[in-house]
Amino acid sequence: MKDYKNYFIVKEQPEIVYRALVNPQIIKLWTGFEAIMTETVGEEFNLYDDSVVGQNIAFEPNKLIEQEWYFGEQEEPSIVTMKLHEHKKGTSLEFRQTNIPEEFYENIVDGIENIYMADLQDFYEGE
């Protein structure tokens, strides 16, 4: 198992970025896909047409989202933690994921950086 951590700048305030990560209508705007998402602990979510699925673990409005992302049967859950911090350019989003199966690591990191976070950043940069 491998872990991943990176920081991304999103050119919008943390409150706006938080809503974009938890509101299914806003998620559809920046991903282009229908989303199943609630801000309810224990509820399952589905993003990018079954590409990102899991269960919500914790929320701290405008500051933190914690989720388990599913990879099928595995002993330890893969936990994603997104922390939002004010930044002079908008929001610094700390993205951390634990227990990524080694065989999926490169694809997961590519998807996080070049799809998930890139789509969110592009949405707020007007690209």
Side-chain angles (χ1 to χ4, degrees), residues 12-92:
E12 191 53 80
Q13 295 303 306
E15 305 81 38
I16 303 296
V17 175
Y18 180 85
R19 297 297 333 144
L21 293 166
V22 299
N23 182 302
Q25 289 81 24
I26 301 173
I27 293 169
K28 182 180 179 182
L29 292 175
W30 62 268
T31 66
F33 294 93
E34 294 291 333
I36 298 171
M37 174 65 77
T38 67
E39 202 174 344
T40 305
V41 172
E43 290 288 318
E44 292 191 334
F45 63 89
N46 185 323
L47 309 173
Y48 285 100
D49 201 23
D50 295 329
S51 293
V52 179
V53 294
Q55 182 177 8
N56 294 320
I57 296 172
F59 296 96
E60 187 176 340
N62 308 323
K63 295 182 181 182
L64 172 99
I65 298 166
E66 190 171 60
Q67 301 170 319
E68 177 182 351
W69 285 17
Y70 298 152
F71 292 103
E73 298 296 320
Q74 66 183 73
E75 293 179 25
E76 296 182 47
S78 182
I79 305 300
V80 168
T81 304
M82 291 178 268
K83 294 181 180 177
L84 308 176
H85 307 280
E86 286 189 35
H87 187 276
K88 63 183 177 184
K89 294 183 180 179
T91 299
S92 172

Side-chain angles (χ1 to χ4, degrees), residues 121-127:
Q121 289 171 312
D122 289 349
F123 183 72
Y124 286 109
E125 291 179 12
E127 296 182 14

